[in-house]
Amino acid sequence: MKHVLLTLVTVLLASFQTLLAQTPSNNPNDYAGADSDRIQAAVNAAPLNQGVVHIPARRPDDEANRDYWLLDRAILLPANTTIYFENCTVKLSDKCRDNFIRSANAGIGIEKVEAIENLRVIGIGKVEFFGADHPRATGDSAKTLGVRTYGTDAGKEGESQTGDWRNIGLLFVKVRRFQVENIAFIQAHAWSLSFEKCSEGVIRHLRFEADETREIDGRMEKVLNVDGVDLRKGCHNIVIDGISGHTGDDLVAITAINPQTKSGGQLQSTEVCDYSEEEDLSVDNIVIRNVNGYAAGGHQIVRLLNASGIKLSNVIIDGVVDSSPVGVVDRATIRIGDSNPAWGGVTPLGDASAVIVRNVASKARHAVLIAGSLTDSIITNVVNYSKECRGLTYESGEENVKNVLLSNWTDIEP
């Protein structure tokens, strides 16, 4: 009997080892070719590896004696994929005009984006994503390359002459249940992370290093729209927790404004998703907490921007520390709304509501700046170190603010 059991165990073990040998690797070091091809091959093998990809440091080889990954195009993540970056560096090449990472349901020519679920991008240890040494394009779709913002594609025939969604570092579109954690984004080409119509997500422990000007080939060049985290229209039930560092533009933002295009997959926009008037494009149930950083270009640390009839509600901002160094003064630590006529001007009362702002330490010109409308909200526990303003700033006029409780405000002379 013992002999029979031993034989059975031996056969099962051999079968298991054979199965393992036949399973494609989820480590890009085990593949050949360009780095983008190797990483995508490991991602494509994820369904046979419980949906998991492991990306350690690049193993130097005959093709390149370096330990960092160099991307020529975006890593595309299909549904039900978890990708672990383990003590490694990822950099965009000078050939790349694309994201670091994008949900695979969106891209050039995909006019209608189908929803997907369960994406996780997790950094383990020290993980850093670097922009290219010579970016082909920077900025958003309102910025012309070589005129307002840097890009080696400036003046090149056949290449788009404005920025677009490809300049975003990590781009998730219509993703339900997601997680992005423990990654540093350094000298991004535009927004480091953008989420369109995403829900049930956690974004945490991210660090940013980006400026509105960069030294490239001995010259100081403008690189615009380098936000940190942006939530766009149609985002719900998301937590942003543990943001640090600095960006050239807003560090954390909700930018729910009119879509620039109705059809998806176009290159004339900073958004890649399709939109219809029948959809719920509101943004609600958002928590932003534990933010310690500043906007190096003098913009906002946390910005809430809804416009053109898009509603924003149930937002908690809890714990924002303005860490601006000497010589840097942001416009606002917290900014709510906007009066830009291109977006429809000041939003009607009720479009932005149920916002709680608490535990803020500000060095900015405005600790809390209301530039649009706000109703039924609370602003409390604010320490204001700025000598340029006192109290809550009603830029759009007090008539656009209703039932907002202001308490525990302290002004401290520097």
Side-chain angles (χ1 to χ4, degrees):
M1 184 67 177
K2 288 183 179 180
H3 178 72
V4 173
L5 289 175
L6 182 60
T7 301
L8 180 59
V9 169
T10 302
V11 170
L12 290 174
L13 182 59
S15 299
F16 181 67
Q17 290 174 335
T18 300
L19 181 62
L20 285 178
Q22 293 174 346
T23 301
S25 174
N26 61 358
N27 182 340
N29 279 308
D30 295 332
Y31 294 89
D35 288 1
S36 297
D37 296 334
R38 296 164 67 180
I39 293 175
Q40 194 63 54
V43 170
N44 293 344
L48 299 175
N49 290 285
Q50 292 76 51
V52 174
V53 183
H54 291 277
I55 303 183
R58 185 185 186 279
R59 188 184 304 135
D61 53 27
D62 293 338
E63 288 194 24
N65 186 28
R66 53 178 163 77
D67 61 0
Y68 61 90
W69 299 98
L70 194 62
L71 300 183
D72 296 328
R73 66 176 191 278
I75 303 166
L76 302 180
L77 299 186
N80 305 309
T81 300
T82 297
I83 184 167
Y84 292 103
F85 291 89
E86 302 168 353
N87 289 297
C88 67
T89 297
V90 181
K91 185 174 182 176
L92 297 180
S93 77
D94 287 352
K95 299 177 183 178
C96 187
R97 188 169 179 178
D98 209 347
N99 321 108
F100 285 102
I101 296 172
R102 186 170 72 248
S103 55
N105 56 340
I108 295 174
I110 300 177
E111 295 184 359
K112 184 170 179 57
V113 176
E114 300 297 331
I116 63 173
E117 297 186 335
N118 303 324
L119 294 187
R120 301 172 72 219
V121 179
I122 311 296
I124 297 174
K126 184 179 180 181
V127 177
E128 295 180 320
F129 284 15
F130 284 84
D133 293 332
H134 303 87
R136 290 177 55 189
T138 63
D140 66 19
S141 58
K143 308 302 185 297
T144 302
L145 305 183
V147 177
R148 297 186 64 188
T149 192
Y150 179 86
T152 60
D153 276 356
K156 288 187 178 180
E157 188 176 352
E159 300 293 348
S160 173
Q161 293 301 297
T162 62
D164 55 60
W165 51 265
R166 294 174 296 174
N167 290 342
I168 294 166
L170 182 148
L171 177 58
F172 279 3
V173 187
K174 275 194 174 182
V175 180
R176 179 170 172 259
R177 291 194 295 268
F178 67 89
Q179 182 178 351
V180 182
E181 181 175 338
N182 192 39
I183 299 173
F185 290 84
I186 300 171
Q187 300 302 2
H189 298 178
W191 305 344
S192 288
L193 304 97
S194 181
F195 300 85
E196 302 179 27
K197 296 185 185 177
C198 292
S199 62
E200 298 178 40
V202 176
I203 305 159
R204 63 187 176 195
H205 302 157
L206 302 182
R207 178 172 61 86
F208 300 99
E209 294 180 24
D211 300 279
E212 278 196 333
T213 57
R214 282 181 56 185
E215 184 175 347
I216 301 175
D217 294 336
R219 294 180 55 183
M220 297 307 296
E221 302 283 0
K222 274 285 187 183
V223 177
L224 297 183
N225 307 113
V226 279
D227 291 29
V229 181
D230 276 74
L231 303 183
R232 308 308 305 271
K233 298 179 291 297
C235 281
H236 312 281
N237 305 313
I238 294 172
V239 174
I240 301 173
D241 183 11
I243 303 299
S244 63
H246 72 275
T247 51
D249 213 311
D250 305 329
L251 188 59
V252 179
I254 295 174
T255 47
I257 59 179
N258 253 347
Q260 295 159 294
T261 58
K262 302 297 184 183
S263 180
Q266 301 185 44
L267 293 179
Q268 295 78 42
S269 174
T270 319
E271 295 171 291
V272 69
C273 197
D274 55 289
Y275 292 91
S276 69
E277 300 298 334
E278 294 75 27
E279 289 182 287
D280 176 16
L281 299 180
S282 64
V283 178
D284 56 28
N285 304 331
I286 309 296
V287 176
I288 301 169
R289 63 190 180 210
N290 301 326
V291 177
N292 189 331
Y294 63 99
H299 299 275
Q300 291 75 216
I301 297 175
V302 177
R303 184 175 188 182
L304 307 184
L305 171 58
N306 64 303
S308 309
I310 298 171
K311 295 185 181 298
L312 181 147
S313 64
N314 290 351
V315 177
I316 294 177
I317 302 171
D318 186 3
V320 179
V321 176
D322 180 348
S323 61
S324 301
V326 174
V328 176
V329 180
D330 290 334
R331 182 182 183 191
T333 300
I334 311 291
R335 181 178 178 181
I336 301 171
D338 203 291
S339 59
N340 190 333
W343 300 326
V346 174
T347 54
L349 280 170
D351 275 15
S353 64
V355 175
I356 298 174
V357 177
R358 64 192 181 201
N359 303 326
V360 176
S362 173
K363 300 178 186 177
R365 293 200 305 273
H366 308 279
V368 179
L369 171 66
I370 299 180
S373 70
L374 183 65
T375 61
D376 304 323
S377 298
I378 298 172
I379 301 171
T380 186
N381 296 351
V382 177
V383 178
N384 173 34
Y385 290 90
S386 173
K387 63 181 179 181
E388 298 185 23
C389 72
R390 290 291 175 265
L392 182 64
T393 303
Y394 300 94
E395 185 177 81
S396 56
E398 293 190 39
E399 66 274 14
N400 290 304
V401 178
K402 181 181 179 182
N403 195 27
V404 175
L405 173 64
L406 177 66
S407 66
N408 297 342
W409 191 292
T410 303
D411 293 320
I412 298 177
E413 289 287 350

